[in-house]
Amino acid sequence: MNDQVREILLFAPELLGESLAAELPTESCPWQLKRSADDLSGHPALVIWSLPSHPTLVIVQREILHLQQRWAPAPLLLVLPDDFRHDPTELLALNCDGIVQDPDLVSLREAVQTLLSGGRVLRVRTGSPQDKAQSQPIGLAQGLLLSGLRQIGRDLQVIEALLDPPPDHALLRLLLEGRCRELRAARNLLLWIWGPLQMGLADAVPLRANNETLDLTLNERQPSAVWNAIQQRIEDAVDHGLSNGTGQLLAIEGLNPERRRDLLLTLLRQLHEVLLRLRQDELSNARDAKALGERWRSLQIEVKQQALRSVAGSYVRIPLGEDLVPVADQLLQRTNLEQLDDELPDPQSMLSSLVLDQPVLVDGQLLPSDDPRALMQLETLISNWLVRTAEIIGSELLGVCGNWPELRRYLLQQDLLSTRELERLRNQLNSQSRWQDWVERPIRLYESRRLLFQLKSGRIEPLLLTEPRDQELRQLRWWQQQVALLVEARDALAPQVQALVRRIGDLMVVLLTQVVGRAIGLIGRGIAQGMGRSLGRG
């Protein structure tokens, strides 16, 4: 069918359907919108379904399946009303080629053009879903835990609002950040003490209101188009500035904001070059995923070196003692870029999709890379690699600046020009790294969880991903294995301790009601009788 006379089948309420049929086509987009299947002269190029108000998700899923079976291979564009609020994961699972929420004519016309050209569109508001747990009865222990989490969540919201943007007063900022770390530690301690009760309640109180817009457009469905969309989203996030929402110190926070931005963008560009090189490599033609992963690891040092050279500047010279020396060459000599981050996941899950065009495993389903759920997972993996690689380079730069005072004005924040402040930050980072390596990482390995960093809403935020890590658990050193053993012992003893506390509580109730209560009653009765006799004699 000619592009100029494409027919679009529209399902919408009466007034809205008439308005769209009259105003959506233009001279540059001369589509023919049909309100009924009987009016079609052939197979439609696109099916648009505008949902009525307050639809149930089960009905929507059933109708989408029916439309896809009836009008395949025509893409389906789902238009959601403004008051449609559901979990974003449920919206992504609808498996539509396009989903837009309360669009205007311009954005709806752009979405139609993208779908007709073979792309995908996703533009919805990810409002917080209704808390289903509120309608379910909970016990006293769950109620106390949920109340504590809510109080901590409210306090964290206030402090995070005061820190965005950070205050100019350095002392106030340190106090707020310290209080924020205390609240997060208290929240983690509550969840750790109550043990199994954290299941289902850890995310019951969101720390931030989730009123964001999920905007994703793919002009094509090839792996290169998926990578371009991810790259553009990450570049936009970095360009707008990133704050630290991880609850821990980051080495890149010590860098000058401009140098931090250059480092992240340079790493992203280097990743683009690596993907292009891997696609042109013979391993890509052989589709050998294992060899592809080894090739990726061999390129990591080169990627870090090129990023470091770009951040330092190829022609920048700074005094070192009595001589002017090139910064890039000195940094490459003084830094150790061969170290690896043990928390980085296996790169095959990322490379197999972006290089070999293989499906992505998401929640037990194999999805193509252009599926929004697969794309969001790939974006999380790339963001995690970006932040963790930048952390390795940032920590090395802080170490070089400790021995090269003239370099601090060029690379670091203004408050780190002081030797005392710089050494304090380095000591805090070293202590945090040891605590993570000795305590927190063994616990995460035993719980089969991996800590990822994602770029979300202008912040670097943590994400705990559940995956088997038994092989890494067996490779732990002796001290780390003892930490995992302590966690296992706590899980084994927790039911007995809870039962003992419950029995002691029941015993205290019996003592207070049957023994102490009766004794107090007898004493009160004796006092009343004595007062009665005294009054009678009077």
Side-chain angles (χ1 to χ4, degrees):
M1 185 179 297
N2 194 329
D3 292 345
Q4 301 300 322
V5 292
R6 284 185 170 181
E7 291 183 332
I8 298 176
L9 183 58
L10 174 64
F11 296 102
E14 191 67 25
L15 294 179
L16 179 60
E18 294 178 358
S19 175
L20 290 177
E23 299 181 11
L24 190 61
T26 61
E27 294 182 358
S28 59
C29 305
W31 306 310
Q32 295 181 7
L33 270 71
K34 305 297 184 179
R35 301 289 312 284
S36 173
D38 298 333
D39 300 333
L40 295 171
S41 60
H43 202 77
L46 175 67
V47 178
I48 301 178
W49 181 27
S50 179
L51 269 65
S53 300
H54 306 292
T56 60
L57 200 60
V58 176
I59 296 177
V60 172
Q61 291 175 338
R62 186 172 63 247
E63 290 299 324
I64 287 176
L65 182 61
H66 174 72
L67 290 174
Q68 290 175 339
Q69 293 175 348
R70 173 67 179 83
W71 301 108
L76 175 62
L77 175 60
L78 190 64
V79 181
L80 304 178
D82 180 59
D83 57 353
F84 191 85
R85 292 291 185 273
H86 280 280
D87 192 343
T89 57
E90 296 178 347
L91 293 178
L92 296 179
L94 292 178
N95 195 23
C96 280
D97 300 279
I99 303 177
V100 293
Q101 184 172 12
D102 191 27
D104 54 16
L105 279 176
V106 176
S107 59
L108 182 58
R109 195 174 292 120
E110 292 175 351
V112 171
Q113 289 177 331
T114 302
L115 292 179
L116 290 177
S117 62
R120 303 191 71 147
V121 176
L122 179 64
R123 191 175 297 116
V124 296
R125 284 187 289 274
T126 57
S128 301
Q130 295 180 353
D131 190 7
K132 300 178 182 179
Q134 292 180 354
S135 60
Q136 301 176 357
I138 59 176
L140 176 61
Q142 292 93 334
L144 292 175
L145 176 58
L146 189 58
S147 175
L149 291 176
R150 284 175 176 167
Q151 181 63 41
I152 293 174
R154 284 192 293 266
D155 294 346
L156 275 173
Q157 287 180 1
V158 174
I159 295 177
E160 288 178 351
L162 294 175
L163 287 172
D164 189 16
D168 297 332
H169 199 282
L171 180 59
L172 177 60
R173 178 179 177 180
L174 290 176
L175 290 175
L176 291 176
E177 290 177 348
R179 179 58 177 165
C180 194
R181 287 193 295 269
E182 289 177 358
L183 289 172
R184 287 196 177 96
R187 183 175 185 269
N188 294 333
L189 182 62
L190 273 178
L191 295 175
W192 188 83
I193 290 176
W194 287 98
L197 292 181
Q198 65 176 306
M199 302 301 296
L201 290 179
D203 299 325
V205 184
L207 299 184
R208 305 177 69 234
N210 190 8
N211 296 318
E212 307 154 8
T213 299
L214 182 58
D215 192 351
L216 177 62
T217 302
L218 284 177
N219 295 324
E220 299 176 1
R221 303 197 180 190
Q222 301 298 324
S224 58
V226 173
W227 162 246
N228 291 335
I230 295 175
Q231 185 180 16
Q232 185 62 47
R233 286 171 58 87
I234 295 179
E235 284 181 355
D236 293 341
V238 175
D239 284 334
H240 289 85
L242 294 173
S243 59
N244 183 8
T246 63
Q248 62 186 44
L249 289 174
L250 295 177
I252 57 176
E253 285 187 290
L255 300 180
N256 183 282
E258 188 65 23
R259 302 290 174 263
R260 185 191 316 148
R261 173 182 172 276
D262 291 343
L263 175 60
L264 293 172
L265 292 179
T266 302
L267 283 173
L268 192 61
R269 288 192 293 268
Q270 289 298 317
L271 178 59
H272 177 70
E273 296 295 331
V274 169
L275 291 178
L276 289 179
R277 189 186 304 182
L278 292 177
R279 291 193 188 109
Q280 299 170 359
D281 204 328
E282 296 180 356
L283 298 175
S284 176
N285 299 328
R287 306 187 70 82
D288 189 347
K290 183 177 180 181
L292 190 66
E294 295 177 356
R295 175 65 172 159
W296 160 269
R297 295 183 184 92
S298 66
L299 293 173
Q300 292 304 295
I301 297 179
E302 181 182 347
V303 168
K304 297 173 187 175
Q305 290 176 347
Q306 293 297 329
L308 187 60
R309 184 178 294 276
S310 178
V311 171
S314 301
Y315 304 102
V316 176
R317 292 174 175 268
I318 288 181
L320 177 59
E322 298 180 354
D323 301 325
L324 281 175
V325 296
V327 176
D329 295 341
Q330 286 293 322
L331 289 180
L332 291 176
Q333 294 176 8
R334 292 167 174 257
T335 54
N336 178 21
L337 301 179
E338 297 181 359
Q339 55 183 316
L340 300 175
D341 194 330
D342 295 332
E343 283 298 298
L344 279 173
D346 190 349
Q348 290 188 10
S349 58
M350 177 176 63
L351 300 177
S352 298
S353 176
L354 296 177
V355 177
L356 303 180
D357 194 16
Q358 295 181 356
V360 183
L361 183 62
V362 182
D363 296 333
Q365 301 181 24
L366 288 174
L367 303 175
S369 59
D370 61 279
D371 188 283
R373 290 168 290 177
L375 190 146
M376 300 300 290
Q377 178 165 307
L378 290 173
E379 181 181 346
T380 299
L381 293 176
I382 294 172
S383 301
N384 179 68
W385 174 85
L386 192 69
V387 174
R388 290 192 177 276
T389 306
E391 275 293 285
I392 294 176
I393 299 176
S395 60
E396 290 294 320
L397 290 177
L398 292 178
V400 174
C401 289
N403 299 321
W404 192 353
E406 293 84 1
L407 188 62
R408 299 176 192 173
R409 293 186 181 274
Y410 181 64
L411 291 180
L412 303 186
Q413 296 268 24
Q414 188 69 24
D415 56 348
L416 294 180
L417 297 180
S418 168
T419 302
R420 178 182 179 182
E421 294 298 327
L422 177 59
E423 293 302 320
R424 177 186 298 173
L425 175 61
R426 292 180 60 193
N427 291 332
Q428 290 175 346
L429 289 172
N430 291 334
S431 300
Q432 176 182 271
S433 177
R434 285 191 291 268
W435 177 260
Q436 291 273 350
D437 186 53
W438 294 349
V439 179
E440 294 194 5
R441 185 169 181 268
I443 294 176
R444 285 199 296 266
L445 290 177
Y446 180 70
E447 296 175 347
S448 298
R449 297 189 300 174
R450 187 184 296 275
L451 178 62
L452 303 180
F453 294 131
Q454 58 181 349
L455 307 182
K456 187 177 180 181
S457 305
R459 294 159 53 92
I460 303 174
E461 295 189 351
L463 174 66
L464 285 175
L465 178 67
T466 302
E467 63 178 13
R469 306 187 67 181
D470 295 354
Q471 183 177 359
E472 297 176 78
L473 183 63
R474 289 190 291 268
Q475 296 174 352
L476 290 177
R477 298 188 295 272
W478 181 86
W479 168 254
Q480 295 171 318
Q481 291 178 354
Q482 305 313 305
V483 173
L485 184 62
L486 286 176
V487 176
E488 183 178 1
R490 191 211 68 161
D491 294 340
L493 296 177
Q496 287 80 2
V497 174
Q498 291 178 358
L500 179 61
V501 172
R502 191 181 304 112
R503 295 294 177 84
I504 294 176
D506 295 340
L507 179 61
M508 294 298 296
V509 170
V510 172
L511 289 176
L512 291 175
T513 56
Q514 301 297 327
V515 180
V516 179
R518 286 188 177 183
I520 294 176
L522 292 175
I523 293 173
R525 184 182 301 176
I527 293 175
Q529 290 178 356
M531 293 179 63
R533 293 194 186 104
S534 300
L535 292 175
R537 292 174 182 173

